[in-house]
Amino acid sequence: MRMPRTIGLCLFFFILGCSDRNTPENVAGDFIHNYYQRADQEAALRLSDSLAAEKLKDEIALVRGARRQGGLPTEMPEIIFEKLTQKTDGANMVFFNYRLTIKNTASSSPARNVIIITELIDGKWKITNFDEYAD
């Protein structure tokens, strides 16, 4: 018997919501999704602490006026990311290196590398720093 599509989607989202997102890799992936793919600094901030949180708060303050005035693009470019490396430093810190490729309707930007540092703080994995650099 085939399950109706709406029930299947509800089940998928229920299972996803119940899954443990509190791992270094999941938090880093969620950060990439929110910050780069959705341009949602507020959602990225909820995953952040320390220097990463400071950077995001500064950025949110800078773009607040543009968001209120509708000055940001309505169509987001496609952002493809792939994890290149992962390095563990002790039991409480994991470093990730991602390659981001930004594609919009006109052209593609050169790939960028993103370093994300996750740290276990009070039982929760948080992004404590992130940075970008060109190849």
Side-chain angles (χ1 to χ4, degrees):
M1 182 173 153
R2 189 166 178 206
M3 185 182 323
R5 174 176 266 173
T6 54
I7 293 173
L9 284 172
C10 289
L11 183 60
F12 170 77
F13 286 115
F14 175 77
I15 292 169
L16 182 65
C18 292
S19 66
D20 182 13
R21 303 299 300 162
N22 189 31
T23 67
E25 189 161 11
N26 286 343
V27 170
D30 290 349
F31 181 85
I32 292 272
H33 173 75
N34 286 309
Y35 183 71
Y36 289 99
Q37 292 181 312
R38 293 182 51 226
D40 186 346
Q41 293 95 346
E42 294 283 348
L45 178 60
R46 289 189 291 275
L47 300 168
S48 303
D49 200 294
S50 305
L51 184 57
E54 290 175 33
K55 287 178 179 181
L56 288 166
K57 287 175 186 174
D58 290 345
E59 187 173 321
I60 289 167
L62 286 172
V63 300
R64 186 170 285 128
R67 286 188 192 269
R68 257 185 271 153
Q69 298 170 7
L72 295 179
T74 56
E75 185 177 319
M76 296 294 295
E78 179 184 8
I79 298 178
I80 302 164
F81 68 96
E82 78 175 288
K83 185 174 77 171
L84 299 176
T85 61
Q86 175 178 332
K87 179 184 174 203
T88 303
D89 185 10
N92 297 330
M93 192 174 286
V94 181
F95 299 81
F96 294 93
N97 186 8
Y98 291 91
R99 179 178 318 268
L100 295 177
T101 305
I102 302 170
K103 295 181 178 185
N104 59 31
T105 54
S107 64
S108 291
S109 299
R112 311 261 320 146
N113 289 313
V114 176
I115 301 292
I116 294 180
I117 301 171
T118 60
E119 193 170 342
L120 189 60
I121 300 173
D122 297 328
K124 294 275 189 189
W125 285 97
K126 295 285 190 172
I127 306 301
T128 55
N129 200 1
F130 64 99
D131 206 356
E132 297 177 34
Y133 62 95
D135 277 338

